Amino acid sequence: MTTELFIQYCFAGLTYGSIYAIVAIGFNIIYNTTGIINFAQGEFVMLGGMISISLLPFMPMPLAIASAVVLTMVIGALIEIVFIRWLKDPSVLRMIIITIGISILTREAASHVWGENIRALPYFIGNEITAISILGARISPQVLVVIGVCGLMVATLGVFFKTTSVGRQMRACSANRTAAVLCGINTRNMVTFSFILSAGIGALAGCIMSPITYSQYDIGTGLAIKGFTVAIIGGLGNAGSAVIAGLLLGLIEAFSVSVVPLAFQDAIAIAILLIILFVRPHGLFGSSEAAGLKEF
Amino acid sequence: MKRLLTIAPLLAAVIAIHLLCAATGTLYYLTQMTMSAYYALLIIGLCVLMGYAGQISLGHGGFFAIGGYLSAALTTHNLEHLQDNSVISALHSFGVLQSGQDLYGGTLLVVNPWFACILAILAAVVIAYLIGIPVLKLKGHYLAMATLGFGIIIYRVVLASEYFGEADGISEVPAFVLLPGLVVSGDFAGRVQNYYIAWGLLIIGLILLLNLIDSRVGRALRAIHGSSEAADAMGVNTARFKLQTFVLSAVFAAIAGIFLTHYNGGIGPSEAGVMKSVRYVALVAVGGMAHLWGALTMGVLLNFLSLRGAFGAYDDAVFGLILILVMLYAPNGILSVRWRPRWARKKTAVEEG
């Protein structure tokens, strides 16, 4: 393998890896406040991409993306308020099935609204063939946009959870819900807020990846599985290590192309997921003691 | 004997539907009823796994596909060019292989459907065991994702391998001669016969499962569902019971796949898709998790409507909606609203985690 090819694969892996990381962080945010794995997480990414593409003819791209993110956040809030907020102590099995149902409904609605066509946002800088040369490898500027925006999102989220009042309240919720209630935190609102937040970051990821990976009504399930794999590898609920795990999975996938046929690429991520689940269900970076206290 | 009495109304209903269709000249409904019966076979198997053993599986479409695809591949791939191979000719003389003719009059040498059926079931058993041992140690979200992942791997393998026909699937699967005169095939002449074969198989499966859940095993399973730890403490080998139920439900799924593939004369990759597995879970949920009769009736009814095209382009959406509505308003199934299994009352300790 030449250096150029190596770098090329690296950037491909990092691009996909950062998207997976964002989806995984979306999983983690909701899991931390509710204990629910939101199987519809991938659908937020799809909605972000699709809505921004539909808005593009009417407004400049930054505004279209911002509106798409806001709209998806509204949808995320509605989903939580309509389907989840009023349930009293639902069992895990019930929540799994409900979020799967939400995912199917969202996807089917999207297929009726947007059809089965593959769409894409235009490239943010230049076009399909614009490329920057990095150590001999040719990298599209969009790749750098994806990696940059994802990095920025992770950093912003970190600051948000550390310094703002709402961020602290959300962390209090995930640490100990009962204690949070006793401190006067409205935990129900925090749950709604976690759905809004993860819908927002999912939608933004969906917009920035759209020029490279395209948007279609059914990309959600695949992304959800990859995102979940990453969340598991990093240790469920652990946002920081999700980033490392995401990049790791992206790189593994990118380099696997040179070993196994492309058709099996998805199977590789899932095989990794299964192996991790069997061998270290608390994740590569998670602690087994902490995992023992959780009910999966 | 008592069991026969509970089955009798079902038997009567099966015959009544046939007579009704015959009287009104709508025998074509029997085709969808036959297919629904095979799907229902899978669903009652999954019902025991989900409702009684309390283990969710989002990968049963995978076992259906293992059964259907293996029997389809074995009974359609021509081994004619290998006829001189000593192993092949030995197999031929033992009756494992059978000769036939293709559409153009060429000679075919394929595996006998009976042997293909047995091999496919064995494959499902082995895979269910290998997957089940690690998977069933997981709970909740992890179990759901692991089984979902298993289903997707099967789907990808089917879609990517030439042996299984890639995106086209396998067609021209020959008829399955169960006994002389008893043939599973899509022939119009055999429609009534196939209707009774399918329902006969379903009723046999139902009797088996009803006996199982009324036995010592069934009580052990319900104990596991209530509390795995408590069952363990009472001396129930929880791991073994879970695994055996998993394998049993996989066998039901594989048999459904085998028969439906012979009946349809082909199988496509969509049978292994995620949506199919989710649909099976939805049907079990609608019927009431721990309610075999509910799963059976809802499985047949909704599959029948879906196969008749009652939901049109909204087919998947309807199943998604059913899934949500049932789980929101009647988590124990619409037929058994009064009966609440223990897990539905149990508070989850997730929030404290």
mmCIF file of all heavy atoms in Angstrom, chain A residues 153-185:
data_model
loop_
_atom_site.group_PDB
_atom_site.id
_atom_site.type_symbol
_atom_site.label_atom_id
_atom_site.label_comp_id
_atom_site.label_asym_id
_atom_site.label_seq_id
_atom_site.Cartn_x
_atom_site.Cartn_y
_atom_site.Cartn_z
ATOM 1 N N MET A 153 -18.594 20.130 16.939
ATOM 2 C CA MET A 153 -19.807 19.715 17.671
ATOM 3 C C MET A 153 -19.426 19.051 18.982
ATOM 4 O O MET A 153 -20.018 19.326 20.033
ATOM 5 C CB MET A 153 -20.616 18.728 16.817
ATOM 6 C CG MET A 153 -21.724 19.370 16.029
ATOM 7 S SD MET A 153 -22.900 18.126 15.471
ATOM 8 C CE MET A 153 -22.235 17.702 13.885
ATOM 9 N N VAL A 154 -18.430 18.147 18.907
ATOM 10 C CA VAL A 154 -18.008 17.431 20.113
ATOM 11 C C VAL A 154 -17.496 18.420 21.153
ATOM 12 O O VAL A 154 -17.873 18.359 22.336
ATOM 13 C CB VAL A 154 -16.929 16.389 19.771
ATOM 14 C CG1 VAL A 154 -16.358 15.777 21.046
ATOM 15 C CG2 VAL A 154 -17.504 15.308 18.886
ATOM 16 N N ALA A 155 -16.681 19.384 20.688
ATOM 17 C CA ALA A 155 -16.118 20.369 21.614
ATOM 18 C C ALA A 155 -17.221 21.217 22.243
ATOM 19 O O ALA A 155 -17.251 21.427 23.464
ATOM 20 C CB ALA A 155 -15.122 21.252 20.872
ATOM 21 N N THR A 156 -18.175 21.662 21.395
ATOM 22 C CA THR A 156 -19.277 22.494 21.904
ATOM 23 C C THR A 156 -20.104 21.735 22.931
ATOM 24 O O THR A 156 -20.482 22.281 23.974
ATOM 25 C CB THR A 156 -20.190 22.933 20.738
ATOM 26 O OG1 THR A 156 -19.373 23.329 19.652
ATOM 27 C CG2 THR A 156 -21.089 24.069 21.150
ATOM 28 N N LEU A 157 -20.381 20.459 22.604
ATOM 29 C CA LEU A 157 -21.167 19.655 23.542
ATOM 30 C C LEU A 157 -20.444 19.534 24.876
ATOM 31 O O LEU A 157 -21.050 19.628 25.942
ATOM 32 C CB LEU A 157 -21.427 18.261 22.962
ATOM 33 C CG LEU A 157 -22.542 18.153 21.939
ATOM 34 C CD1 LEU A 157 -22.587 16.740 21.368
ATOM 35 C CD2 LEU A 157 -23.878 18.500 22.563
ATOM 36 N N GLY A 158 -19.107 19.328 24.779
ATOM 37 C CA GLY A 158 -18.315 19.217 26.003
ATOM 38 C C GLY A 158 -18.454 20.464 26.853
ATOM 39 O O GLY A 158 -18.731 20.388 28.061
ATOM 40 N N VAL A 159 -18.313 21.627 26.218
ATOM 41 C CA VAL A 159 -18.435 22.897 26.942
ATOM 42 C C VAL A 159 -19.848 23.056 27.498
ATOM 43 O O VAL A 159 -20.054 23.437 28.651
ATOM 44 C CB VAL A 159 -18.088 24.085 26.002
ATOM 45 C CG1 VAL A 159 -18.390 25.410 26.684
ATOM 46 C CG2 VAL A 159 -16.632 24.001 25.586
ATOM 47 N N PHE A 160 -20.836 22.685 26.649
ATOM 48 C CA PHE A 160 -22.235 22.815 27.049
ATOM 49 C C PHE A 160 -22.525 22.014 28.320
ATOM 50 O O PHE A 160 -23.122 22.516 29.273
ATOM 51 C CB PHE A 160 -23.134 22.345 25.902
ATOM 52 C CG PHE A 160 -24.573 22.162 26.275
ATOM 53 C CD1 PHE A 160 -25.421 23.250 26.394
ATOM 54 C CD2 PHE A 160 -25.079 20.891 26.515
ATOM 55 C CE1 PHE A 160 -26.739 23.085 26.751
ATOM 56 C CE2 PHE A 160 -26.403 20.716 26.866
ATOM 57 C CZ PHE A 160 -27.239 21.814 26.987
ATOM 58 N N PHE A 161 -22.072 20.748 28.327
ATOM 59 C CA PHE A 161 -22.358 19.901 29.491
ATOM 60 C C PHE A 161 -21.584 20.346 30.731
ATOM 61 O O PHE A 161 -22.024 20.144 31.854
ATOM 62 C CB PHE A 161 -22.045 18.437 29.182
ATOM 63 C CG PHE A 161 -23.132 17.753 28.408
ATOM 64 C CD1 PHE A 161 -22.904 17.260 27.137
ATOM 65 C CD2 PHE A 161 -24.395 17.623 28.949
ATOM 66 C CE1 PHE A 161 -23.911 16.643 26.426
ATOM 67 C CE2 PHE A 161 -25.414 17.008 28.245
ATOM 68 C CZ PHE A 161 -25.170 16.523 26.979
ATOM 69 N N LYS A 162 -20.409 20.950 30.531
ATOM 70 C CA LYS A 162 -19.574 21.332 31.673
ATOM 71 C C LYS A 162 -20.010 22.643 32.284
ATOM 72 O O LYS A 162 -20.063 22.786 33.507
ATOM 73 C CB LYS A 162 -18.113 21.463 31.208
ATOM 74 C CG LYS A 162 -17.400 20.123 31.161
ATOM 75 C CD LYS A 162 -16.172 20.140 32.063
ATOM 76 C CE LYS A 162 -15.713 18.727 32.342
ATOM 77 N NZ LYS A 162 -15.249 18.038 31.136
ATOM 78 N N THR A 163 -20.330 23.649 31.423
ATOM 79 C CA THR A 163 -20.453 25.001 31.959
ATOM 80 C C THR A 163 -21.876 25.538 32.054
ATOM 81 O O THR A 163 -22.174 26.311 32.960
ATOM 82 C CB THR A 163 -19.638 25.983 31.101
ATOM 83 O OG1 THR A 163 -20.126 25.908 29.769
ATOM 84 C CG2 THR A 163 -18.167 25.632 31.100
ATOM 85 N N THR A 164 -22.774 25.126 31.139
ATOM 86 C CA THR A 164 -24.093 25.757 31.186
ATOM 87 C C THR A 164 -24.977 25.101 32.246
ATOM 88 O O THR A 164 -24.752 23.953 32.643
ATOM 89 C CB THR A 164 -24.817 25.647 29.835
ATOM 90 O OG1 THR A 164 -25.037 24.264 29.573
ATOM 91 C CG2 THR A 164 -24.011 26.264 28.729
ATOM 92 N N SER A 165 -25.994 25.844 32.640
ATOM 93 C CA SER A 165 -26.894 25.354 33.683
ATOM 94 C C SER A 165 -27.689 24.142 33.185
ATOM 95 O O SER A 165 -27.804 23.128 33.874
ATOM 96 C CB SER A 165 -27.835 26.483 34.095
ATOM 97 O OG SER A 165 -28.868 25.977 34.874
ATOM 98 N N VAL A 166 -28.236 24.252 31.957
ATOM 99 C CA VAL A 166 -29.025 23.140 31.413
ATOM 100 C C VAL A 166 -28.162 21.896 31.268
ATOM 101 O O VAL A 166 -28.581 20.781 31.597
ATOM 102 C CB VAL A 166 -29.625 23.535 30.041
ATOM 103 C CG1 VAL A 166 -30.468 22.399 29.492
ATOM 104 C CG2 VAL A 166 -30.443 24.799 30.156
ATOM 105 N N GLY A 167 -26.924 22.096 30.790
ATOM 106 C CA GLY A 167 -26.012 20.971 30.640
ATOM 107 C C GLY A 167 -25.761 20.284 31.966
ATOM 108 O O GLY A 167 -25.794 19.048 32.062
ATOM 109 N N ARG A 168 -25.556 21.070 33.002
ATOM 110 C CA ARG A 168 -25.316 20.495 34.329
ATOM 111 C C ARG A 168 -26.542 19.745 34.824
ATOM 112 O O ARG A 168 -26.447 18.675 35.412
ATOM 113 C CB ARG A 168 -24.961 21.608 35.320
ATOM 114 C CG ARG A 168 -23.575 22.159 35.091
ATOM 115 C CD ARG A 168 -23.005 22.669 36.394
ATOM 116 N NE ARG A 168 -21.805 23.461 36.138
ATOM 117 C CZ ARG A 168 -21.775 24.781 36.253
ATOM 118 N NH1 ARG A 168 -22.840 25.445 36.644
ATOM 119 N NH2 ARG A 168 -20.661 25.424 36.007
ATOM 120 N N GLN A 169 -27.732 20.340 34.560
ATOM 121 C CA GLN A 169 -28.966 19.664 34.983
ATOM 122 C C GLN A 169 -29.115 18.315 34.292
ATOM 123 O O GLN A 169 -29.536 17.335 34.892
ATOM 124 C CB GLN A 169 -30.176 20.541 34.663
ATOM 125 C CG GLN A 169 -30.292 21.756 35.556
ATOM 126 C CD GLN A 169 -31.504 22.597 35.188
ATOM 127 O OE1 GLN A 169 -32.550 22.075 34.852
ATOM 128 N NE2 GLN A 169 -31.346 23.900 35.252
ATOM 129 N N MET A 170 -28.743 18.276 32.993
ATOM 130 C CA MET A 170 -28.853 17.010 32.261
ATOM 131 C C MET A 170 -27.898 15.978 32.831
ATOM 132 O O MET A 170 -28.225 14.801 32.959
ATOM 133 C CB MET A 170 -28.575 17.233 30.771
ATOM 134 C CG MET A 170 -29.743 17.893 30.056
ATOM 135 S SD MET A 170 -29.376 18.252 28.350
ATOM 136 C CE MET A 170 -29.502 16.646 27.627
ATOM 137 N N ARG A 171 -26.703 16.446 33.187
ATOM 138 C CA ARG A 171 -25.747 15.498 33.762
ATOM 139 C C ARG A 171 -26.226 14.996 35.120
ATOM 140 O O ARG A 171 -26.053 13.829 35.464
ATOM 141 C CB ARG A 171 -24.366 16.161 33.897
ATOM 142 C CG ARG A 171 -23.606 16.186 32.575
ATOM 143 C CD ARG A 171 -22.139 16.361 32.815
ATOM 144 N NE ARG A 171 -21.868 17.649 33.423
ATOM 145 C CZ ARG A 171 -20.861 17.875 34.254
ATOM 146 N NH1 ARG A 171 -20.043 16.897 34.568
ATOM 147 N NH2 ARG A 171 -20.673 19.070 34.764
ATOM 148 N N ALA A 172 -26.846 15.891 35.868
ATOM 149 C CA ALA A 172 -27.386 15.493 37.174
ATOM 150 C C ALA A 172 -28.443 14.413 36.992
ATOM 151 O O ALA A 172 -28.493 13.432 37.730
ATOM 152 C CB ALA A 172 -27.977 16.704 37.882
ATOM 153 N N CYS A 173 -29.264 14.594 35.949
ATOM 154 C CA CYS A 173 -30.297 13.611 35.630
ATOM 155 C C CYS A 173 -29.710 12.244 35.371
ATOM 156 O O CYS A 173 -30.241 11.227 35.809
ATOM 157 C CB CYS A 173 -31.029 14.031 34.368
ATOM 158 S SG CYS A 173 -32.571 14.745 34.695
ATOM 159 N N SER A 174 -28.626 12.227 34.607
ATOM 160 C CA SER A 174 -28.070 10.928 34.246
ATOM 161 C C SER A 174 -27.322 10.317 35.426
ATOM 162 O O SER A 174 -27.260 9.106 35.566
ATOM 163 C CB SER A 174 -27.153 11.054 33.025
ATOM 164 O OG SER A 174 -25.985 11.739 33.374
ATOM 165 N N ALA A 175 -26.757 11.153 36.311
ATOM 166 C CA ALA A 175 -26.027 10.608 37.450
ATOM 167 C C ALA A 175 -26.990 9.970 38.442
ATOM 168 O O ALA A 175 -26.783 8.832 38.869
ATOM 169 C CB ALA A 175 -25.215 11.708 38.132
ATOM 170 N N ASN A 176 -28.034 10.695 38.806
ATOM 171 C CA ASN A 176 -28.995 10.153 39.761
ATOM 172 C C ASN A 176 -30.309 10.905 39.611
ATOM 173 O O ASN A 176 -30.459 12.041 40.030
ATOM 174 C CB ASN A 176 -28.462 10.312 41.183
ATOM 175 C CG ASN A 176 -29.348 9.593 42.185
ATOM 176 O OD1 ASN A 176 -30.537 9.418 41.968
ATOM 177 N ND2 ASN A 176 -28.748 9.170 43.275
ATOM 178 N N ARG A 177 -31.248 10.234 39.028
ATOM 179 C CA ARG A 177 -32.489 10.886 38.666
ATOM 180 C C ARG A 177 -33.279 11.353 39.889
ATOM 181 O O ARG A 177 -33.792 12.460 39.930
ATOM 182 C CB ARG A 177 -33.327 9.911 37.852
ATOM 183 C CG ARG A 177 -34.297 10.612 36.965
ATOM 184 C CD ARG A 177 -34.990 9.588 36.115
ATOM 185 N NE ARG A 177 -36.185 10.167 35.571
ATOM 186 C CZ ARG A 177 -36.484 10.115 34.289
ATOM 187 N NH1 ARG A 177 -35.688 9.521 33.464
ATOM 188 N NH2 ARG A 177 -37.594 10.647 33.854
ATOM 189 N N THR A 178 -33.343 10.473 40.882
ATOM 190 C CA THR A 178 -34.113 10.826 42.076
ATOM 191 C C THR A 178 -33.500 12.045 42.754
ATOM 192 O O THR A 178 -34.208 12.987 43.134
ATOM 193 C CB THR A 178 -34.122 9.646 43.057
ATOM 194 O OG1 THR A 178 -34.248 8.445 42.305
ATOM 195 C CG2 THR A 178 -35.254 9.760 44.032
ATOM 196 N N ALA A 179 -32.187 12.037 42.907
ATOM 197 C CA ALA A 179 -31.522 13.169 43.534
ATOM 198 C C ALA A 179 -31.737 14.437 42.724
ATOM 199 O O ALA A 179 -31.919 15.514 43.277
ATOM 200 C CB ALA A 179 -30.022 12.879 43.657
ATOM 201 N N ALA A 180 -31.755 14.307 41.408
ATOM 202 C CA ALA A 180 -31.974 15.466 40.546
ATOM 203 C C ALA A 180 -33.357 16.054 40.781
ATOM 204 O O ALA A 180 -33.524 17.266 40.872
ATOM 205 C CB ALA A 180 -31.803 15.070 39.081
ATOM 206 N N VAL A 181 -34.347 15.169 40.915
ATOM 207 C CA VAL A 181 -35.711 15.641 41.191
ATOM 208 C C VAL A 181 -35.729 16.386 42.528
ATOM 209 O O VAL A 181 -36.312 17.458 42.653
ATOM 210 C CB VAL A 181 -36.703 14.458 41.226
ATOM 211 C CG1 VAL A 181 -38.074 14.938 41.675
ATOM 212 C CG2 VAL A 181 -36.800 13.812 39.861
ATOM 213 N N LEU A 182 -35.053 15.827 43.519
ATOM 214 C CA LEU A 182 -35.033 16.443 44.853
ATOM 215 C C LEU A 182 -34.365 17.813 44.839
ATOM 216 O O LEU A 182 -34.655 18.665 45.670
ATOM 217 C CB LEU A 182 -34.322 15.520 45.846
ATOM 218 C CG LEU A 182 -35.098 14.236 46.166
ATOM 219 C CD1 LEU A 182 -34.272 13.319 47.047
ATOM 220 C CD2 LEU A 182 -36.419 14.563 46.829
ATOM 221 N N CYS A 183 -33.450 17.993 43.880
ATOM 222 C CA CYS A 183 -32.787 19.290 43.773
ATOM 223 C C CYS A 183 -33.626 20.290 42.979
ATOM 224 O O CYS A 183 -33.164 21.390 42.673
ATOM 225 C CB CYS A 183 -31.430 19.152 43.106
ATOM 226 S SG CYS A 183 -30.260 18.275 44.107
ATOM 227 N N GLY A 184 -34.816 19.897 42.604
ATOM 228 C CA GLY A 184 -35.691 20.823 41.899
ATOM 229 C C GLY A 184 -35.489 20.846 40.401
ATOM 230 O O GLY A 184 -35.906 21.777 39.722
ATOM 231 N N ILE A 185 -34.843 19.822 39.868
ATOM 232 C CA ILE A 185 -34.670 19.777 38.413
ATOM 233 C C ILE A 185 -35.883 19.092 37.803
ATOM 234 O O ILE A 185 -36.318 18.043 38.281
ATOM 235 C CB ILE A 185 -33.381 19.005 38.036
ATOM 236 C CG1 ILE A 185 -32.167 19.750 38.563
ATOM 237 C CG2 ILE A 185 -33.286 18.814 36.534
ATOM 238 C CD1 ILE A 185 -30.886 18.969 38.427
#
